[in-house]
Amino acid sequence: MLTPAEQSRELLRRGRLYARREEFTSAVEAFTGAVDLTPDDAGLYFARGNAHIGLSQLALAIEDFTLAIQFAPKLAAAWHNRATTHAERGEFAAAALDYTEAIRLVPDDPDPLLGRGVARMKLAKLDEALADFDAALVLVPDMGRAHFQRGQCRAAQGHHEAAIADFTKALEINPRQSRAYSARAQSHEALGDCIAALLDLTTSLRVNPKLIEAYPHRARIHFDLQKWQNARDDYSAVLRTEPKHSVALNHRAIASAELGLFAEAVADLTAVITAAPDDSEGYFNRAQVRVRQKDWERAIADFTRVLALTPDDAAAYLQRGHASVALLDVESGIRDFTRVVELEPTAARGYYNRATALLKVGRPAEARPDAARAAALEPNRPGIHFLNGQVDYELGEATSAIAHFNRAIELDADHLPAINSMAWILATTTGQLRDPARALELAERIVDQSQKAEAGYLDTLAAANAAMQRYSTAVEWQRKAIALVPPDDSTEYLERLHLYEAGMQYLEEQKGRPTGTNTISHPAPRLPT
């Protein structure tokens, strides 16, 4: 017959065997039987506490470690494991206290120093955490985990060069520590070295393809670098693990749209909307994709839904206004741009776009105050000065228009629409501004830079050649311009062609310019939204 002590030892042996097999329920039962026989044995409570951890029964584990400490206050492992369990429960202050006692009991053990350092980091006590990691490395200089944790701490302090040195040391000790590559990538990115960050993230995934957090990080860098296919692939990897990850769906949609995969983009954003129908972001991004598809009506419907959810979203009004203008519903666009002005009275974009719309429907006098206000708010935007030049020219003020175009070109030497408009005035005006040779020089430049792909620029080059009495060349360029415009828009181009074929120049009188002429045929650039 076994004594209670002997029975307890046998149950302890069985419990340890079960624990090694990760059969933690059986282990807890065995340890509990041993505790019933010898209730003052701290080691039994310690062993059962570890088995509770295996079952994720953290509260019970803390109870057992506490009992172990009561029976054996100098059992450092019980203090250490209770600290670790507190930390896993997010109880970092309690964890730090327990680690401190473990350090006092075994001052030469680096593990509780590391644990307390991590707990202090979670408590935002970064200087104290750094001291713990330094102390651990004094004890074991080549401890890879300590270098890794110190690197994390230094990165949190913003000391990324030092953090990189620690992560690099950790990788020298253990080249397969995937999280060290991922962490070093974050510091590289913080220092602006995205290429090094990408290399580290790629290595981390080669070492550990299951390191899920590396995929969204690498995807975001690819996204920021506009490496759309790479970004799309990485977000797809994220979505294989988390199919409803809204950030990944949104960003993959944008990457898909940039690759021209509009149906795929719409599908991703529809999934975002289905998961969160009251979140405006999905509707806004889907509307943007539909703009890219020139699916104006559905874009307007999505922007309208955004505004139902977020009534003061100036960007949604702005984009809905653009879509309305594209549908030739310019008055609706003007109303939306007016709302942008009301929401953002000190921002240029509402005034700019309302002026552009007013100009489109032949109301330059109404456009002028908005164009001037936009220029006052954003004096260094070449597109705004170009718009003011357009307005002045439509009002018959060619000299003032030239000044605005010149200012646009000063700000952007390759602002082709402004150069085109300058050339047109110099070629077609009948006043003192007329300069056919200069017009030809400018027109040849913009046609060359645009690779002969803009009808309006070819039209200007034809007019400049006619102004130089090079009629056969003018006819040649005008025919090329006509080939680039839809038949419904070719009337004025054809009229000018007939003039050149008859050996005549095209001239405009500046007394309030006739509407419909081709002075500024290239679309005005919009302000970024």
PDB file of all heavy atoms in Angstrom, residues 284-298:
ATOM      1  N   PHE A 284     -17.476  55.784 -51.146  1.00  0.00           N
ATOM      2  CA  PHE A 284     -16.644  56.812 -51.777  1.00  0.00           C
ATOM      3  C   PHE A 284     -15.640  56.174 -52.735  1.00  0.00           C
ATOM      4  O   PHE A 284     -15.478  56.615 -53.878  1.00  0.00           O
ATOM      5  CB  PHE A 284     -15.913  57.627 -50.707  1.00  0.00           C
ATOM      6  CG  PHE A 284     -15.181  58.822 -51.261  1.00  0.00           C
ATOM      7  CD1 PHE A 284     -15.804  60.049 -51.358  1.00  0.00           C
ATOM      8  CD2 PHE A 284     -13.871  58.713 -51.697  1.00  0.00           C
ATOM      9  CE1 PHE A 284     -15.138  61.147 -51.880  1.00  0.00           C
ATOM     10  CE2 PHE A 284     -13.195  59.802 -52.217  1.00  0.00           C
ATOM     11  CZ  PHE A 284     -13.835  61.025 -52.307  1.00  0.00           C
ATOM     12  N   ASN A 285     -14.964  55.126 -52.270  1.00  0.00           N
ATOM     13  CA  ASN A 285     -13.960  54.496 -53.120  1.00  0.00           C
ATOM     14  C   ASN A 285     -14.600  53.816 -54.328  1.00  0.00           C
ATOM     15  O   ASN A 285     -14.040  53.841 -55.429  1.00  0.00           O
ATOM     16  CB  ASN A 285     -13.137  53.497 -52.309  1.00  0.00           C
ATOM     17  CG  ASN A 285     -12.174  54.195 -51.361  1.00  0.00           C
ATOM     18  OD1 ASN A 285     -11.845  55.347 -51.537  1.00  0.00           O
ATOM     19  ND2 ASN A 285     -11.745  53.492 -50.334  1.00  0.00           N
ATOM     20  N   ARG A 286     -15.782  53.217 -54.123  1.00  0.00           N
ATOM     21  CA  ARG A 286     -16.456  52.598 -55.277  1.00  0.00           C
ATOM     22  C   ARG A 286     -16.861  53.665 -56.285  1.00  0.00           C
ATOM     23  O   ARG A 286     -16.757  53.458 -57.510  1.00  0.00           O
ATOM     24  CB  ARG A 286     -17.659  51.775 -54.828  1.00  0.00           C
ATOM     25  CG  ARG A 286     -18.252  50.937 -55.966  1.00  0.00           C
ATOM     26  CD  ARG A 286     -19.318  49.964 -55.464  1.00  0.00           C
ATOM     27  NE  ARG A 286     -20.520  50.646 -55.020  1.00  0.00           N
ATOM     28  CZ  ARG A 286     -21.607  50.023 -54.573  1.00  0.00           C
ATOM     29  NH1 ARG A 286     -21.612  48.692 -54.485  1.00  0.00           N
ATOM     30  NH2 ARG A 286     -22.665  50.705 -54.179  1.00  0.00           N
ATOM     31  N   ALA A 287     -17.302  54.794 -55.784  1.00  0.00           N
ATOM     32  CA  ALA A 287     -17.653  55.893 -56.689  1.00  0.00           C
ATOM     33  C   ALA A 287     -16.441  56.331 -57.498  1.00  0.00           C
ATOM     34  O   ALA A 287     -16.531  56.593 -58.706  1.00  0.00           O
ATOM     35  CB  ALA A 287     -18.211  57.068 -55.885  1.00  0.00           C
ATOM     36  N   GLN A 288     -15.266  56.381 -56.837  1.00  0.00           N
ATOM     37  CA  GLN A 288     -14.054  56.789 -57.544  1.00  0.00           C
ATOM     38  C   GLN A 288     -13.710  55.800 -58.650  1.00  0.00           C
ATOM     39  O   GLN A 288     -13.260  56.191 -59.738  1.00  0.00           O
ATOM     40  CB  GLN A 288     -12.885  56.886 -56.551  1.00  0.00           C
ATOM     41  CG  GLN A 288     -13.030  57.993 -55.524  1.00  0.00           C
ATOM     42  CD  GLN A 288     -12.663  59.350 -56.087  1.00  0.00           C
ATOM     43  OE1 GLN A 288     -13.170  59.771 -57.130  1.00  0.00           O
ATOM     44  NE2 GLN A 288     -11.781  60.051 -55.405  1.00  0.00           N
ATOM     45  N   VAL A 289     -13.897  54.516 -58.374  1.00  0.00           N
ATOM     46  CA  VAL A 289     -13.643  53.514 -59.413  1.00  0.00           C
ATOM     47  C   VAL A 289     -14.620  53.708 -60.570  1.00  0.00           C
ATOM     48  O   VAL A 289     -14.245  53.638 -61.752  1.00  0.00           O
ATOM     49  CB  VAL A 289     -13.762  52.088 -58.844  1.00  0.00           C
ATOM     50  CG1 VAL A 289     -13.667  51.049 -59.963  1.00  0.00           C
ATOM     51  CG2 VAL A 289     -12.676  51.842 -57.799  1.00  0.00           C
ATOM     52  N   ARG A 290     -15.869  53.991 -60.248  1.00  0.00           N
ATOM     53  CA  ARG A 290     -16.869  54.178 -61.303  1.00  0.00           C
ATOM     54  C   ARG A 290     -16.588  55.438 -62.118  1.00  0.00           C
ATOM     55  O   ARG A 290     -16.901  55.498 -63.315  1.00  0.00           O
ATOM     56  CB  ARG A 290     -18.269  54.195 -60.684  1.00  0.00           C
ATOM     57  CG  ARG A 290     -18.680  52.765 -60.297  1.00  0.00           C
ATOM     58  CD  ARG A 290     -19.961  52.664 -59.530  1.00  0.00           C
ATOM     59  NE  ARG A 290     -20.423  51.261 -59.556  1.00  0.00           N
ATOM     60  CZ  ARG A 290     -21.321  50.762 -58.740  1.00  0.00           C
ATOM     61  NH1 ARG A 290     -21.872  51.520 -57.818  1.00  0.00           N
ATOM     62  NH2 ARG A 290     -21.678  49.502 -58.835  1.00  0.00           N
ATOM     63  N   VAL A 291     -15.978  56.419 -61.490  1.00  0.00           N
ATOM     64  CA  VAL A 291     -15.520  57.582 -62.252  1.00  0.00           C
ATOM     65  C   VAL A 291     -14.469  57.149 -63.271  1.00  0.00           C
ATOM     66  O   VAL A 291     -14.480  57.575 -64.436  1.00  0.00           O
ATOM     67  CB  VAL A 291     -14.962  58.660 -61.300  1.00  0.00           C
ATOM     68  CG1 VAL A 291     -14.167  59.707 -62.071  1.00  0.00           C
ATOM     69  CG2 VAL A 291     -16.095  59.321 -60.529  1.00  0.00           C
ATOM     70  N   ARG A 292     -13.545  56.280 -62.824  1.00  0.00           N
ATOM     71  CA  ARG A 292     -12.514  55.792 -63.739  1.00  0.00           C
ATOM     72  C   ARG A 292     -13.143  55.027 -64.909  1.00  0.00           C
ATOM     73  O   ARG A 292     -12.630  55.033 -66.020  1.00  0.00           O
ATOM     74  CB  ARG A 292     -11.540  54.871 -62.992  1.00  0.00           C
ATOM     75  CG  ARG A 292     -10.774  55.527 -61.854  1.00  0.00           C
ATOM     76  CD  ARG A 292      -9.601  56.336 -62.364  1.00  0.00           C
ATOM     77  NE  ARG A 292      -8.575  55.501 -62.954  1.00  0.00           N
ATOM     78  CZ  ARG A 292      -7.593  54.911 -62.271  1.00  0.00           C
ATOM     79  NH1 ARG A 292      -7.519  55.058 -60.952  1.00  0.00           N
ATOM     80  NH2 ARG A 292      -6.682  54.190 -62.887  1.00  0.00           N
ATOM     81  N   GLN A 293     -14.254  54.357 -64.640  1.00  0.00           N
ATOM     82  CA  GLN A 293     -14.970  53.625 -65.695  1.00  0.00           C
ATOM     83  C   GLN A 293     -15.854  54.549 -66.549  1.00  0.00           C
ATOM     84  O   GLN A 293     -16.428  54.098 -67.534  1.00  0.00           O
ATOM     85  CB  GLN A 293     -15.873  52.555 -65.078  1.00  0.00           C
ATOM     86  CG  GLN A 293     -15.144  51.422 -64.378  1.00  0.00           C
ATOM     87  CD  GLN A 293     -16.128  50.464 -63.734  1.00  0.00           C
ATOM     88  OE1 GLN A 293     -16.788  50.792 -62.762  1.00  0.00           O
ATOM     89  NE2 GLN A 293     -16.238  49.262 -64.292  1.00  0.00           N
ATOM     90  N   LYS A 294     -15.949  55.799 -66.141  1.00  0.00           N
ATOM     91  CA  LYS A 294     -16.874  56.760 -66.751  1.00  0.00           C
ATOM     92  C   LYS A 294     -18.322  56.304 -66.610  1.00  0.00           C
ATOM     93  O   LYS A 294     -19.176  56.607 -67.450  1.00  0.00           O
ATOM     94  CB  LYS A 294     -16.517  57.016 -68.219  1.00  0.00           C
ATOM     95  CG  LYS A 294     -15.139  57.635 -68.382  1.00  0.00           C
ATOM     96  CD  LYS A 294     -14.830  58.004 -69.825  1.00  0.00           C
ATOM     97  CE  LYS A 294     -13.448  58.655 -69.924  1.00  0.00           C
ATOM     98  NZ  LYS A 294     -13.113  59.034 -71.307  1.00  0.00           N
ATOM     99  N   ASP A 295     -18.565  55.579 -65.523  1.00  0.00           N
ATOM    100  CA  ASP A 295     -19.932  55.151 -65.189  1.00  0.00           C
ATOM    101  C   ASP A 295     -20.516  56.239 -64.279  1.00  0.00           C
ATOM    102  O   ASP A 295     -20.679  56.068 -63.069  1.00  0.00           O
ATOM    103  CB  ASP A 295     -19.873  53.796 -64.475  1.00  0.00           C
ATOM    104  CG  ASP A 295     -21.245  53.188 -64.238  1.00  0.00           C
ATOM    105  OD1 ASP A 295     -22.245  53.901 -64.475  1.00  0.00           O
ATOM    106  OD2 ASP A 295     -21.323  52.024 -63.802  1.00  0.00           O
ATOM    107  N   TRP A 296     -20.822  57.376 -64.903  1.00  0.00           N
ATOM    108  CA  TRP A 296     -21.117  58.592 -64.146  1.00  0.00           C
ATOM    109  C   TRP A 296     -22.354  58.457 -63.272  1.00  0.00           C
ATOM    110  O   TRP A 296     -22.359  58.934 -62.129  1.00  0.00           O
ATOM    111  CB  TRP A 296     -21.280  59.771 -65.105  1.00  0.00           C
ATOM    112  CG  TRP A 296     -20.132  59.957 -66.038  1.00  0.00           C
ATOM    113  CD1 TRP A 296     -20.140  59.839 -67.396  1.00  0.00           C
ATOM    114  CD2 TRP A 296     -18.780  60.294 -65.691  1.00  0.00           C
ATOM    115  NE1 TRP A 296     -18.902  60.074 -67.919  1.00  0.00           N
ATOM    116  CE2 TRP A 296     -18.044  60.361 -66.890  1.00  0.00           C
ATOM    117  CE3 TRP A 296     -18.125  60.541 -64.499  1.00  0.00           C
ATOM    118  CZ2 TRP A 296     -16.694  60.671 -66.929  1.00  0.00           C
ATOM    119  CZ3 TRP A 296     -16.772  60.844 -64.511  1.00  0.00           C
ATOM    120  CH2 TRP A 296     -16.067  60.908 -65.708  1.00  0.00           C
ATOM    121  N   GLU A 297     -23.402  57.847 -63.796  1.00  0.00           N
ATOM    122  CA  GLU A 297     -24.648  57.782 -63.030  1.00  0.00           C
ATOM    123  C   GLU A 297     -24.480  56.962 -61.750  1.00  0.00           C
ATOM    124  O   GLU A 297     -24.947  57.352 -60.679  1.00  0.00           O
ATOM    125  CB  GLU A 297     -25.759  57.216 -63.906  1.00  0.00           C
ATOM    126  CG  GLU A 297     -26.156  58.171 -65.039  1.00  0.00           C
ATOM    127  CD  GLU A 297     -27.252  57.610 -65.919  1.00  0.00           C
ATOM    128  OE1 GLU A 297     -27.596  56.421 -65.737  1.00  0.00           O
ATOM    129  OE2 GLU A 297     -27.759  58.350 -66.783  1.00  0.00           O
ATOM    130  N   ARG A 298     -23.790  55.818 -61.857  1.00  0.00           N
ATOM    131  CA  ARG A 298     -23.577  55.021 -60.653  1.00  0.00           C
ATOM    132  C   ARG A 298     -22.590  55.717 -59.700  1.00  0.00           C
ATOM    133  O   ARG A 298     -22.722  55.593 -58.478  1.00  0.00           O
ATOM    134  CB  ARG A 298     -23.063  53.635 -61.027  1.00  0.00           C
ATOM    135  CG  ARG A 298     -24.135  52.759 -61.677  1.00  0.00           C
ATOM    136  CD  ARG A 298     -23.610  51.361 -61.920  1.00  0.00           C
ATOM    137  NE  ARG A 298     -24.630  50.513 -62.538  1.00  0.00           N
ATOM    138  CZ  ARG A 298     -24.434  49.256 -62.891  1.00  0.00           C
ATOM    139  NH1 ARG A 298     -23.258  48.680 -62.674  1.00  0.00           N
ATOM    140  NH2 ARG A 298     -25.397  48.559 -63.438  1.00  0.00           N
TER     141      ARG A 298
END
